[in-house]
Amino acid sequence: MEEALRALLLASSGVTALAGKQVNFGSHPQGAGLPYVVLNTISDREGLTLRGPDGLQQARVQIDCYAESYGAAKQLSRAVRAVLHGHSGGGFRGVFLDGARDLREPGDDTGRPFRVSLDFLTIYSA
């Protein structure tokens, strides 16, 4: 799921026009610059029925869009949302936006990036 979700974002001209290839799971390479996207799996569980596993997984993925300004972070988050919200195919039964937050990284205002954080629910074949 992680590789497929990252590949979807990297295949989007809207996302790559803003962040280039800077779409990573877990962390962003130190010193690689802004803007960028970081994905983190928050939860991942197997689907179950009364007869046992149903062959599907459901995961919650947090996608953080970082940029030097609030406007740039928001624009990047809108590009991510346009690609993923409502997507199905390529092993995904559905990807749905579940929530969003606008944040500023803690610390003094000097050099701290802006962040828009999106939570997506993904249902996919295991």
Side-chain angles (χ1 to χ4, degrees):
M1 178 272 300
E2 290 85 354
E3 296 85 355
L5 201 57
R6 182 174 181 265
L8 272 173
L9 293 173
L10 289 172
S12 164
S13 60
V15 172
T16 58
L18 298 170
K21 299 290 182 185
Q22 297 195 111
V23 177
N24 298 292
F25 254 92
S27 65
H28 180 66
Q30 189 164 350
L34 294 163
Y36 60 89
V37 177
V38 175
L39 300 90
N40 288 288
T41 302
I42 303 304
S43 65
D44 194 357
R45 65 177 182 83
E46 184 176 40
L48 297 172
T49 68
L50 292 175
R51 292 191 172 125
D54 65 3
L56 296 176
Q57 296 284 117
Q58 183 174 353
R60 178 179 302 274
V61 178
Q62 180 176 315
I63 301 179
D64 295 315
C65 302
Y66 292 90
E68 290 182 29
S69 71
Y70 170 74
K74 195 67 170 183
Q75 186 179 16
L76 181 55
S77 76
R78 288 177 180 145
V80 168
R81 181 179 182 163
V83 172
L84 296 181
H85 184 59
H87 174 79
S88 64
F92 289 102
R93 293 282 178 98
V95 180
F96 308 101
L97 181 67
D98 189 47
R101 295 166 303 288
D102 298 347
L103 307 160
R104 182 85 187 258
E105 288 303 289
D108 65 28
D109 288 345
T110 320
R112 298 289 180 178
F114 287 84
R115 173 173 51 138
V116 176
S117 184
L118 308 168
D119 291 338
F120 285 91
L121 295 177
T122 65
I123 302 165
Y124 64 97
S125 299

